Amino acid sequence: MQHVEAKGEESTCGDVWFNGHLNLSDDIKEQVELLQKQGRQCKLYVDKNDEVLRLKFFSFLDEFENGRIPNHVELRLFFVERLGIKDVESCRSEIEFLEEQIVNHEGDIEPAASVLNGFIAITRYCQFLLFGFEEDELRLCFENPKKPWKGLISQEMAHTFLTIPKDFCCPISLDLMKDPVIVSTGQTYDRSSIARWMEEGHCTCPKTGQMLDDTRIVPNRALRNLIVQWCIAHGVPYDPTETGDASAESFAAALPTKAAIEANRATAVLLIQQLANGSQGAQTVAAREIRLLAKTGKENRAFIAEAGAIPHLRKLLSSSNPVAQENAVTAMLNLSIYAKNKSRIMDEDGCLGSIVEVLRLGLTVEARQNAAATLFSLSAVHEYKKRIADQGGAVEALAELLRVGTPRGKKDAVTALFNLATHADTCSRMIEAGTVTALVGALGNEGVAEEVAGALALIVRQPIGAEAVGKEETAVSGLIAMMRCGTPRGKENAVAALLEFCRTGGATATRRVLKAPAMASLLQTLLFTGTKRARRKAASLARVFQKCENAASRFGGSGVGYPFASNSTTNDASVVPMSISVL
């Protein structure tokens, strides 16, 4: 109040300037003066007890920040006696409330989101330090294990591989937009994609085909903010471009501080102790919490593995308890996202075999699907692909999941098979396991067709792969159907698969594709409307057909003619890789 009075003369001068320059009516001036009077009379009241609690909580943060774990007795006194948090349910309610503050207030909160993350981490640590695991064990017995916790950040994701909302994907690249911009037709694209489109000389809107009135683009900040919120809430890495605005930076501030990391590290130690020595129920709870803790942040994944979680999770993979097994394999999946953990998992004796057993004979659908996703994650390391393919029953189980799994299960299986197919030495093993038949059968499945065509494009690069695909009656017709009405990326992979099939399979394979109905018109369409990569592949395939027709004409044959773009090149990037998220 003294501070306000000291500035009284300055405030009066400001009021005169305010009223004199804005030409306010007498009624409005009266209202403004009344508001100013009321404001000067207001006193800020802070409850002394609340201030003491706030400072104490920050002192706990400081201790974790400096690598020290706060005193057990002080934590109990603070949480139980002063805050009234006396059980697991109260802890979870506090965590959910803090998480909602981070998500719903869009970074405009006090204290900052990074500090709130620290509060969440300390509360989670105290949940297990002070109240143990017994109450959660009872919860597992009486609640639906599929029912996720209500927390917005720590809740279970519906899919291992996140389905990105269509409005967040660029219509050109089909990838999550980093810098969405609006063109003159009102359509939104990622800045880099639409800029490249215009640089190539196009003057139409890629999505609508309308002529662009001009080449100006306007940042779509509202959509960008929504994308950033979605990424933060789902633990998806977001790499803003240099043109990013302040909103992206404010959300980046929600990343965990050192205090939050250290508190989570202490929590991981408690959880791993239960994995090692706890009852079956406590082990199940610990596996679930490790699963959640490993969902976000490479720091979390690193220290959980460093603390020795992987050997204990491996043992839990063989549990007769379906909830324990599902949590264990999903925790293994989330840990495997961190590159260094892949070698820890693969080097752990019997771990790969246990993951494959869950894939083959898992007690729940979720467990089998997440085992497939784990194999995909591990196969990101090239040298592990052959080891996985050679593991007894692995490829057969993936092919079976692709045939009869749920939509998400099929997605998990095909992405794993796609990764394995990128290793030249796995082709024969995949053919023996019936993978080609399963892939061809899935060409008509819209949810996995892109990945299926990509995997086939890799397999047919080898003679035995081309021969196996050639034996499938519906392989060529399925790929051609995708060229006709698939997604842009699906068309790319389909024409790439047909090109590799013709190159590797020789004249017999080429004539088979050449005779397909409407092939000439489909190639013509791709040459003019396809993506840059699809146009390159279509031009290369047209050349292959021309050579085949020229050879036939020397022996009295006739052809239909396949025009191609003269500036096309046969060079091409590898098939677009898949991406993985956490569960």
Side-chain angles (χ1 to χ4, degrees), residues 342-343 346 352 356 374-396 398 414-430 435 458 461-462 574-578:
K342 297 183 195 298
S343 60
M346 293 294 289
L352 177 60
V356 172
T374 306
L375 293 183
F376 164 67
S377 176
L378 294 173
S379 64
V381 179
H382 188 70
E383 65 187 77
Y384 295 156
K385 293 175 184 178
K386 192 171 188 304
R387 284 180 60 184
I388 293 171
D390 290 342
Q391 182 68 40
V395 181
E396 288 87 349
L398 289 172
V414 73
T415 47
L417 290 171
F418 176 96
N419 240 19
L420 296 180
T422 61
H423 195 296
D425 295 338
T426 64
C427 187
S428 59
R429 182 71 191 89
M430 295 178 72
T435 301
L458 294 169
R461 288 178 179 177
Q462 298 191 51
S574 59
V575 179
V576 180
M578 311 301 153

Side-chain angles (χ1 to χ4, degrees), residues 158-170:
H159 301 287
T160 304
F161 294 89
L162 273 180
T163 301
I164 301 174
K166 288 186 177 180
D167 291 342
F168 294 175
C169 296
C170 175

